[in-house]
Amino acid sequence: MPRLSRSFTLSAALTAALLSTALVAPAHAQSASDAGVLKVALWGDEFYSKDPEEKANWIDQTVASMNDHNLDFTIFAGDTKSGSSECTDQAIGADVKAIFNRLDMPTLYALGDNEWVDCHRTNNGSYDPVERLSYLRKTFFDAAKSQGSNPIDVERQGAPGEAYSENSRFERNNVMFVALNVPGSNNNLVVTDKQCTKKSDRTQADCDAATAEYDARNPKNVEWLKESFAKARENNDAGILIDIQADIFFPFELSDGGYEDDFLPTLDDKNGFTDFYKTLVEETHNFDGQVLLVHGDSHYFKVDKPMLQSDGRSTANFTRVEVFGSSDNSWVEMTVDPKSDGVFSFQPVVLKQ
């Protein structure tokens, strides 16, 4: 097995020095053994190698690393396989369960586009995405439990194994953890011919069915998000973590006017993330605690504060973490301290092959 390493480049080291929700060092250090402090892994978009031996080595290394860190649980931000591989039951079901079950701790799993939305692609096997979504619901969300061989209780939006059962949440140590089915590829909303037929043999009827699925799920996502914030406010939670797969800000550079001039104008009825993001903004502004959005999709690790106010300042209580991914099997160790000002702080665990 490759040697595990915490060594990382100078740029990553400099980033790590800034990684808290306020992008400054926490007010005080606290060990995981102290009351109320959690250690959590953030990961997703993993193990995309087409070489079976290399992929197995990556899985072994990541699982061993997480098991070595005495974590309370993990947050998986979707995409359990590459976007150019087939969506077989084995690939999106049994193989994924086997990985989750090798971890010593439970996992909260948010669905990604690679395991259902994009399965219509010819190189994915030309599957029906709606059928694949139904399969995933019955395979992973058929009980009020998280993933893993040592699961924890979670609340599900839909009846176990049925529609919207993938939307889940639990509270731990005065912090709310929420998973939502908000995947890439425009959240399964099909509005252009290119979105319909690119890499695909879909008919217009197939694309209309995809949009109908979005039209039904989108308001349920908004409802779950609002309910979760309401519960967090009722419980006087110090923070709330929202786990999705999609990089809703891609491909925009948000600095130097990019947020207002480029990103915000795209939030229209053709954008599958508009309702989710506008709700997230509203709820964040009406929540006294810290809000953390965790996602994958773009395969570029970052921690930033991309929700800006009308005067250009960052929204103080909002932070985004994008996990590693693709051919990079590294992960992020998150410390959750509800007594600290920032609640969430981060340390990248960079694995060398």
Side-chain angles (χ1 to χ4, degrees), residues 7 44 48 56 68 87 108 118 134 154 163 190 192 211 219 224 258 260 275 293 329 334 344:
S7 299
Y48 283 7
D68 189 47
C87 296
L108 185 70
D118 296 336
S134 177
V154 299
V190 182
T192 67
T211 293
W224 193 245
E260 182 177 358
D275 294 337
L293 178 67
N329 64 321
M334 176 176 69
F344 307 102

Side-chain angles (χ1 to χ4, degrees), residues 324-343:
F324 294 94
S326 187
S327 58
D328 194 337
N329 64 321
S330 300
W331 56 282
V332 183
E333 183 176 71
M334 176 176 69
T335 299
V336 183
D337 182 358
K339 295 181 181 179
S340 70
D341 291 339
V343 181

Side-chain angles (χ1 to χ4, degrees), residues 23 32 37 51 65 104 129 137 144 172 198 225 260 273 316 326:
L23 297 186
V37 177
D51 182 319
S65 177
D104 295 338
R137 286 167 169 164
R172 181 69 60 85
K198 183 180 180 181
L225 186 61
E260 182 177 358
F273 309 119
S326 187

Side-chain angles (χ1 to χ4, degrees), residues 273-291:
F273 309 119
T274 295
D275 294 337
F276 169 81
Y277 186 65
K278 287 184 175 180
T279 303
L280 183 62
V281 171
E282 180 181 1
E283 295 294 334
T284 297
H285 288 167
N286 288 288
F287 183 65
D288 291 335
Q290 291 294 322
V291 179

Side-chain angles (χ1 to χ4, degrees), residues 203-257:
T203 66
Q204 187 58 52
D206 295 329
C207 297
D208 291 344
T211 293
E213 186 285 325
Y214 162 84
D215 287 339
R217 177 174 44 82
N218 184 51
K220 299 298 289 187
N221 280 341
V222 170
E223 175 185 303
W224 193 245
L225 186 61
K226 288 182 175 180
E227 285 183 0
S228 299
F229 269 97
K231 281 181 173 288
R233 281 190 290 267
E234 181 181 351
N235 297 337
N236 197 29
D237 284 338
I240 182 170
L241 180 150
I242 310 297
D243 178 30
I244 65 173
Q245 187 262 333
D247 181 356
I248 60 178
F249 301 103
F250 182 83
F252 300 102
E253 170 54 58
L254 303 178
S255 64
D256 196 23

